[in-house]
Structures are given as structure tokens and as C-alpha cells.
Amino acid sequence: MIDRLSPEDRDALITASTPFEFDLGHVFAEAGDTVAYVYFVQSGIISAVAGTQDGRTVETFMIGREGVTTPVALGFPVQTYSRLVGQSAGEARRVEIGRLRQLCDERPGLRAVLALYAAGLQGELEQSGACNALHRADQRFAKWLLRCHDRLDGDTLQLTQEYLASLLGAQRTTVNEAAQGLQKSGAITYSRGKVTIVDRGALERAACECYTTGPRPQSA
């Protein structure tokens, strides 16, 4: 997202922000927290995870180098609706939300880029409602792996069955069956929490059409 800004807007944002490194599992915010900082992701992945009172969780969307944790700097306090957690270690630029609001007032180009991302993310969330209700777990798993692959360098992802199940809102056995099916098709190899994408084309054919909906890192 930073690369999409004009040179002047990019320089202003870099000056106003500080580098921030995060690890797998780092919690940026809990649901209901008032946002203090906004993170422009440069590498790695941040997941927005929603939970229920009985402890079940599901990932609602992911943020990679195409995005930002709070897409629009509004003029009133912003609260998070989901838990924001590092899914893959990486780096970001962190800016205080009040400073970002000021920059958006001063720089319409920056606000426009944030608004464009917010619109794409809204479309992805709307499509995800239908996807989670209507598409099979193996299709959603393939879609999720593709979105991770888009946002990371390399073909190997470190993911446990428990973590995948919590993100997909599925049982461990369901995730295992989906992974085994993709492995038999030659799309991936899967062993002890390590997923390696072997044939991206096969993985794309296995995914539902929802993969093409929403913000894409390639456009950043």
C-alpha cells in the first residue's frame, strides 16, 4: 500500500511512522479495543479473528503487504471488532491514529488510497459471508492458502492443524481431510504443520471463486 502512494505522500507517511517488527502470535488488538496505532504491513500477515463465547474462532480477513489494520482514519474513536494477531512474522510501519487523521486531512491522495482499500475489503467481507455458508471446507482451505501465498515470499507455510482449524472455523479432522485431498491432487505437500505449495495452478482450480474477490497484494 505504501508503494501505491505518491512520492510526497509516501515520504510524509514514512516520516510520521516508525518501523515495527512482529512475531507469529503477536496480538495487535483485542475486540473492542480503541485503536491507538495503525499498522501498514510491509511483510508477514495479520489476521482478524472473531470469536464466540464458547471459545470457537474464525478468521474474518487477513492483512498483508497490500493493506493496513485500520483502513480509514475517521474523525472519531475507532474500535476493533475482531482480535488482530500476527499470523506470520513480519514488519510494518506504525503510525499513531491521530497523526494519520491529520495526514489524511492534509493529503487527499493518502485518504483516497485508504478509502480504495476499505472498499475492496468491504467487498471481500460481504463475499466471505456467502463463502462460509455455501462453499466446502476444502474449497475455502485452498482459497485461504492462495491468499497466504500471495502475501508471503516462498512456497512453504508453517501452520498447525489446530491453528488452521481455528482460522477456518472447522474441526481438525475436516482440515486434515481437506489437506490430504489437496495433497493427493498434487497441489500441496502437508506434514507436521508445514504446508508447501507445489502446483499453484492446481490449488487455484481447487479454490472457490471467492479467491478473486477483495484486495489483492499484486495491486499494491
Side-chain angles (χ1 to χ4, degrees):
M1 176 174 285
I2 293 175
D3 290 342
R4 295 184 61 184
L5 299 172
S6 69
E8 296 79 9
D9 290 343
R10 187 186 312 123
D11 289 344
L13 179 63
I14 294 297
T15 300
S17 62
T18 57
F20 186 88
E21 296 184 3
F22 59 92
D23 297 323
L24 171 67
H26 176 80
V27 177
F28 292 84
E30 297 286 0
D33 284 353
T34 298
V35 176
Y37 293 95
V38 175
Y39 297 83
F40 289 76
V41 181
Q42 295 177 294
S43 64
I45 298 175
I46 299 173
S47 286
V49 180
T52 57
Q53 290 184 350
D54 61 6
R56 290 179 295 173
T57 60
V58 63
E59 182 188 75
T60 54
F61 62 93
M62 69 173 66
I63 309 160
R65 52 196 171 200
E66 84 293 347
V68 60
T69 53
T70 304
V72 179
L74 301 174
F76 50 85
V78 177
Q79 289 187 321
T80 57
Y81 294 98
S82 301
R83 188 174 194 249
L84 297 177
V85 58
Q87 178 188 301
S88 176
E91 299 178 351
R93 301 291 305 188
R94 186 175 80 166
V95 57
E96 195 271 328
I97 191 168
R99 182 68 179 110
L100 182 58
R101 291 188 184 119
Q102 182 182 3
L103 284 175
C104 286
D105 289 340
E106 298 170 352
R107 299 184 173 277
L110 173 59
R111 178 177 287 276
V113 169
L114 290 171
L116 181 63
Y117 174 71
L121 182 59
Q122 177 65 29
E124 179 183 346
L125 290 170
E126 292 173 3
Q127 186 68 27
S128 291
C131 182
N132 291 334
L134 301 175
H135 290 150
R136 301 189 312 268
D138 60 322
Q139 294 175 312
R140 293 189 292 116
F141 183 37
K143 175 193 72 173
W144 190 83
L145 289 176
L146 285 167
R147 287 185 167 171
C148 288
H149 194 225
D150 287 341
R151 291 163 171 83
L152 297 175
D153 297 321
D155 299 321
T156 299
L157 312 174
Q158 299 289 342
L159 306 163
T160 64
Q161 282 187 346
E162 292 86 352
Y163 190 60
L164 282 171
S166 69
L167 291 181
L168 293 172
Q171 299 293 326
R172 284 183 57 190
T173 54
T174 301
V175 172
N176 188 50
E177 290 171 359
Q180 289 180 352
L182 290 174
Q183 184 164 252
K184 288 179 180 178
S185 73
I188 67 170
T189 59
Y190 179 60
S191 176
R192 297 184 179 181
K194 181 185 293 184
V195 178
T196 300
I197 297 175
V198 178
D199 186 341
R200 184 180 168 95
L203 195 60
E204 290 177 348
R205 291 189 292 273
C208 57
E209 68 268 23
C210 302
Y211 167 62
T212 59
T213 302
R216 301 290 295 279
Q218 295 93 324
S219 65

